[in-house]
Amino acid sequence: MKHYGLIGFPLSHSFSKKYFTDKFEKEGITDAKYDVYPLEHIKDLQDLLDAHPDLCGLNVTIPHKVNIIRYLDWVEEDAKHAGAVNCIRVRSESPVLAAFSGEVGVNGHDFRLEGFNTDLYGFEMSLRPLLKDQEYDALVLGDGGAAKAVKCVLENLGIAFTCVTRSPHGNNLLFKDLKPHHIAKHKLIVNTTPLGTFPNVEECPPIPYSAIGSDHILYDLVYNPEKTMFLQKGEEQGAKIKNGYEMLILQAEKSWEIWTSKEKHP
């Protein structure tokens, strides 16, 4: 039996466990199982892997997407650029071969941990159908861990962006300083904050929604509820809207593709 799972803390609700359990059942995959592994401290990763030697892949969620990187033997370029990993492939490997390749793992373990960021793929593939053949400027609401993949994808697509935060950080705009002309200039607005997530469905990012028009795209990483207050307000102004559910599906399928791939990385 091949085991896969999710690490993070806390893990009160897991989209991934339900998704993969349903997938395995629907596709008749009988030699795979997906579980959740609450991991409060990332330093305990080695103990988890030792306790579950049949683990072949892990998804990674908050708060470990960034600090997991120093425990990995190899990280794909986009994940390095984003500064976050949400998918790990566990490959068996002799420590002697690992030493020859110059990739000596954590505590000399006899497996190789490879890091990827499937959020990048999920966000890009779900965003592309919304984009017209024109230049866009984007506002990224929030600048935490969830914004890392969004910013990386926007850079890859050549879309200039500005982050909007509550407190000063670098060249970020502050929510309190956001004016209608900022909204008018930036036709793509991506919410990476948790505002509006169930059960706090009456919350939304504090932006001047009245300046949104039919040429705007509003994308919310939140998927529960299906239509957040942020998206409702955008829709009322005629904007195209999209939630984060398709992104979740795409990143999950990309994880499965990575875990089952025979491709070897240097």
Side-chain angles (χ1 to χ4, degrees):
M1 181 72 73
K2 294 174 182 174
H3 280 217
Y4 304 90
L6 173 70
I7 59 171
F9 194 85
L11 294 178
S12 54
H13 168 74
S14 169
F15 163 86
S16 299
K17 178 173 172 60
K18 183 178 187 317
Y19 182 81
F20 281 107
T21 300
D22 290 348
K23 175 184 174 68
F24 297 157
E25 185 177 340
K26 187 168 36 177
E27 298 182 15
I29 300 169
T30 57
D31 63 343
K33 185 180 180 185
Y34 194 101
D35 284 307
V36 293
Y37 301 102
L39 197 69
E40 187 171 3
H41 303 292
I42 196 61
K43 63 181 175 59
D44 296 328
L45 175 66
Q46 181 71 52
D47 292 339
L48 174 70
L49 294 167
D50 288 343
H52 301 277
D54 48 2
L55 270 172
C56 299
L58 288 168
N59 288 125
V60 184
T61 189
I62 53 174
H64 302 317
K65 287 186 179 186
V66 175
N67 54 15
I68 187 72
I69 292 175
R70 68 179 182 271
Y71 291 88
L72 306 178
D73 299 302
W74 176 88
V75 179
E76 69 166 351
E77 282 304 311
D78 267 350
K80 277 184 191 174
H81 180 53
V85 160
N86 75 323
C87 175
I88 298 170
R89 183 168 71 161
V90 184
R91 265 180 50 200
S92 298
E93 181 169 72
S94 145
V96 175
L97 290 176
F100 272 116
S101 71
E103 302 270 6
V104 180
V106 184
N107 297 331
H109 56 215
D110 59 353
F111 44 80
R112 177 176 158 90
L113 301 179
E114 299 174 344
F116 304 82
N117 192 315
T118 62
D119 284 337
L120 297 172
Y121 174 81
F123 178 64
E124 180 173 346
M125 291 301 107
S126 60
L127 175 66
R128 275 185 178 275
L130 301 177
L131 301 175
K132 296 176 184 174
D133 187 18
Q134 66 181 62
E135 284 194 11
Y136 286 90
D137 286 318
L139 287 178
V140 179
L141 308 183
D143 197 12
K148 289 181 179 294
V150 168
K151 293 192 292 183
C152 188
V153 167
L154 294 177
E155 284 180 6
N156 289 346
L157 293 176
I159 297 175
F161 63 85
T162 300
C163 289
V164 187
T165 48
R166 288 189 183 279
S167 52
H169 180 71
N171 294 322
N172 290 358
L173 262 174
L174 297 181
F175 275 107
K176 69 180 182 65
D177 295 331
L178 206 56
K179 299 291 189 285
H181 73 266
H182 294 120
I183 300 297
K185 179 187 175 188
H186 298 84
K187 302 302 185 187
L188 172 61
I189 306 176
V190 185
N191 178 41
T192 72
T193 78
L195 289 170
T197 306
F198 182 84
N200 303 311
V201 296
E202 297 304 315
E203 294 180 350
C204 63
I207 66 173
Y209 290 94
S210 60
I212 292 170
S214 58
D215 50 355
H216 276 83
I217 300 168
L218 268 60
Y219 190 117
D220 200 335
L221 297 194
V222 176
Y223 66 95
N224 182 19
E226 185 178 335
K227 194 181 290 183
T228 58
M229 186 62 68
F230 168 72
L231 294 181
Q232 286 181 47
K233 286 176 174 285
E235 188 176 52
E236 287 168 5
Q237 296 293 123
K240 281 195 284 188
I241 63 169
K242 188 159 194 172
N243 68 23
Y245 187 72
E246 186 187 22
M247 176 181 168
L248 268 182
I249 300 292
L250 289 167
Q251 68 84 15
E253 284 299 323
K254 190 66 173 177
S255 292
W256 181 246
E257 180 185 316
I258 289 166
W259 294 333
T260 56
S261 168
K262 302 297 183 189
E263 181 184 359
K264 293 192 175 182
H265 299 284

